Every structure is written in structure tokens, then in C-alpha cells.
């Protein structure tokens, strides 16, 4: 089965899901907020905190475009305001290491990728907007680090060339199903796409980058095979910023970490009876019992036999009809399990 490693953390179906707390630009360009968010993510139990590496004039041309319904502010102004300098990014990275977290960041330009490479990041996260930016994917793939690729705004056919680039360079990779609506309505999320990605790209570890409100769909994603989960993260949705309104807060992040592991442990298996269920079977099942004294030679019928707990008798409730109408081989007291030896000519085997 597909598996990748980020640092010492192994990721794949045989391992608990990796929860990525996506700070993104929720720090609004303030280093103190960035550090505060790292601490909150660590305290909530996250393993990975992810930022975005923006060098505005390297990733876009000046524009008056706004990010749709996300914010009325010019995109250029948002990105410029939320930039961290390389020194600040290194400070955040060092603080992540101090708190025992994996630091990841999404580059939006060749120069940003080079910066992150110089910082020694253990892997790259590539956002949905760059899923068909094949030149940038090629540039990053040459660095030889594992790549987590989000696939919002793309279908299987447009994802395929990006995957071929990663395969060509022998790059370990994960594909994240994503819907680029902020927030994503539940009926637009399409968790079935997790299986689509796994079936089409069997060498990929598959995850979910989720923009719905809350953590519920992430837990559903784990049940359907997601090995990585990414959610925007903030300390408070009352903070300013274009992404905070759809972000989860520390208590929700903690519940996601705990819940994702629980669902991962619970998924799979088949409908069989567990050996561990036997103690409950013993008291919960019913057995064939006498409900009145029965004399030798008397016929068994509904007036003298029925089924009662516990299920420790030799004849389970399911065999009641086999006993009905047969003759008692000996006297039987009331309120005891019926033994095959109590029945004339009865075959003890079902």
C-alpha cells in the first residue's frame, strides 16, 4: 500500500491519519500571532503546522482582483500584508521544532520554493491553484522531497500530468482531495473523490484538504480512506483575516486529532463474531429452558419450554422449534436449561 515519510512520521493506510493545522495567513503578517498559533496547535495535539510562503511580486503581477466572496480587499494587498520575511519564517520554523511540531509551508513561486528548500523543510505542500502549474511542480520535484499536492479546481485528467512529473522524479507524494469553495457546502464536498483518487493513482497516499465548517467531514474522510487531513486553523474566528471564518479553533483541532485516530482504528474489518464478545454472548443470548416441571414421557410445548437468558445452555434459542413436540426422556425441573439428554432421540448437533 502507498506510504510516504515526512521526517520520521510515516503516513499511509497502516498509520494514524496525519492532521495538518493550516495556519496559512491567519497570522496576518504578524510574527507574534504566528508564534501564538504554533503554540495553540501544539497544545491541541497537532503534529504538523503549515504556513504559506508568499513573496508577492514573485508570485503575481500587480492586480486589482479580489478573491471573490472571500474578501472585498484586493488580493495583492492581502498577500503583501500577510507576507513573512525569511527571517520571520525561520523563527516560526525554529519555534515549531522547539514545540515538537513538523513545520511545512506552501510556496506560491519558484523563489518561495527555493527559500523553503534553503530552510530544510522535510516536505512541500503544493496548493490547489498550483496543481496544474506544471513548471512549478517540476521545479519543486527536482528537490527530491516528499510532496503533498492539493487537487481543488482539478479533475482526474488535469491531475494526471502533475502525477507523471512526480513519478518521473521518483518523488514520494500524497494527493489531497479538495473543493475550492470557502467555506465548502457539505453537498459540494464529494467525499467519494477520495476513492476516485486512490483508484486512479494507486501509488499515491490520499488525503482531504477540507474547507467545510467544523470537523465532521474530515472524520468521514478518514472512514473513506483519507490518510492526511488539513484544516485551516485559528485561535479565534473573531480574528481578522480572509480565512479565519472557516477555520477551526483549538478545541475543534483537539477533537479532530482524537477523532481522526478513533475513526482510523475503527475502520475496516468484516462482519464476524469477535472472540472478545463471548462474555457478552454468555449473558445476552438466550437458551432453551423449562418454564414448568416436565414429567418423563411428556411432550415439550409452549406451556413447558421457552427461551430465557443466559445463553450458557447447550441449546440456543434458535433451536427451540427442534425441541417442540418431542418427548421428555426424564423428569425435568422448572427453570433450568434443557439438555439434549432430556429429549428422546434428539441429535445434539445442529
Amino acid at each position: 500500500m502507498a506510504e510516504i515519510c515526512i521526517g520520521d512520521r510515516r503516513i499511509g493506510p497502516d498509520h494514524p491519519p496525519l492532521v495538518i493545522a493550516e495556519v496559512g495567513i491567519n497570522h496576518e503578517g504578524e510574527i507574534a500571532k504566528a508564534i501564538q498559533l504554533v503554540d495553540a496547535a501544539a497544545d491541541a495535539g497537532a503534529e504538523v503546522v503549515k504556513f504559506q510562503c508568499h513573496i508577492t511580486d514573485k508570485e503575481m503581477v500587480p492586480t486589482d482582483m479580489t478573491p471573490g466572496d472571500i474578501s472585498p480587499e484586493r488580493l495583492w494587498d492581502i498577500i503583501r500584508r500577510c507576507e513573512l520575511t525569511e527571517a520571520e519564517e525561520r523563527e516560526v520554523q525554529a519555534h515549531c521544532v522547539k514545540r515538537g511540531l513538523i513545520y511545512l509551508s506552501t510556496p506560491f513561486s519558484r523563489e518561495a520554493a527555493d527559500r523553503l528548500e534553503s530552510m530544510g523543510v522535510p516536505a512541500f505542500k503544493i496548493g490547489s491553484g498550483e496543481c496544474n502549474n506544471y513548471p512549478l511542480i517540476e521545479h519543486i520535484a527536482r528537490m527530491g522531497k516528499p510532496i503533498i499536492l492539493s487537487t481543488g479546481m482539478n479533475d482526474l485528467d488535469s491531475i494526471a500530468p502533475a502525477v507523471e512529473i512526480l513519478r518521473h522524479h521518483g518523488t514520494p507524494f500524497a494527493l489531497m482531495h479538495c473543493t475550492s469553495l470557502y467555506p465548502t457546502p457539505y453537498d459540494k464536498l464529494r467525499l467519494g473523490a477520495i476513492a476516485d483518487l486512490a483508484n486512479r493513482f494507486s501509488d499515491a497516499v490520499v488525503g482531504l484538504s477540507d474547507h467545510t465548517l467544523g470537523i465532521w467531514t474530515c472524520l468521514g474522510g478518514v472512514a473513506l480512506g483519507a490518510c492526511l487531513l488539513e484544516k485551516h486553523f485559528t485561535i479565534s474566528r473573531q480574528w481578522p483575516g480572509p480565512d479565519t471564518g472557516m477555520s477551526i479553533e483549538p478545541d475543534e483541532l483537539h477533537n479532530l486529532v482524537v477523532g481522526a485516530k478513533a475513526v482510523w482504528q475503527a475502520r475496516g474489518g468484516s462482519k464476524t463474531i469477535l472472540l472478545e464478545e463471548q462474555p457478552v454472548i454468555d449473558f445476552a443470548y438466550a437458551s432453551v429452558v423449562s418454564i414448568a416441571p416436565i414429567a418423563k414421557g411428556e411432550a415439550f410445548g409452549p406451556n413447558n419450554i421457552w427461551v430465557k437468558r443466559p445463553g450458557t445452555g447447550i441449546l440456543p434459542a434458535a433451536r427451540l422449534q427442534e425441541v417442540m413436540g418431542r418427548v421428555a426422556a426424564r423428569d425435568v425441573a422448572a427453570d433450568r436449561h434443557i439438555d439434549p439428554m432430556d429429549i428422546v432421540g434428539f441429535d445434539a448437533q445442529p
Side-chain angles (χ1 to χ4, degrees), residues 86-107:
E86 181 173 347
E88 289 171 331
E89 288 193 297
R90 288 181 180 274
E91 183 179 346
V92 172
Q93 181 187 35
H95 194 69
C96 285
V97 173
K98 180 180 178 181
R99 291 302 311 267
L101 297 169
I102 297 171
Y103 169 89
L104 293 181
S105 186
T106 297

Side-chain angles (χ1 to χ4, degrees), residues 8 24 68 159 172 183 209 336:
D8 295 330
I159 296 165
S209 181
R336 77 166 179 80

Side-chain angles (χ1 to χ4, degrees), residues 26 58 70 114 141 154 166 182 234 263 283 301 320:
N26 280 346
K58 300 299 183 183
I70 301 173
D114 291 343
N154 283 269
L166 302 178
Y182 308 91
T234 185
V263 174
F283 74 74
L320 176 67

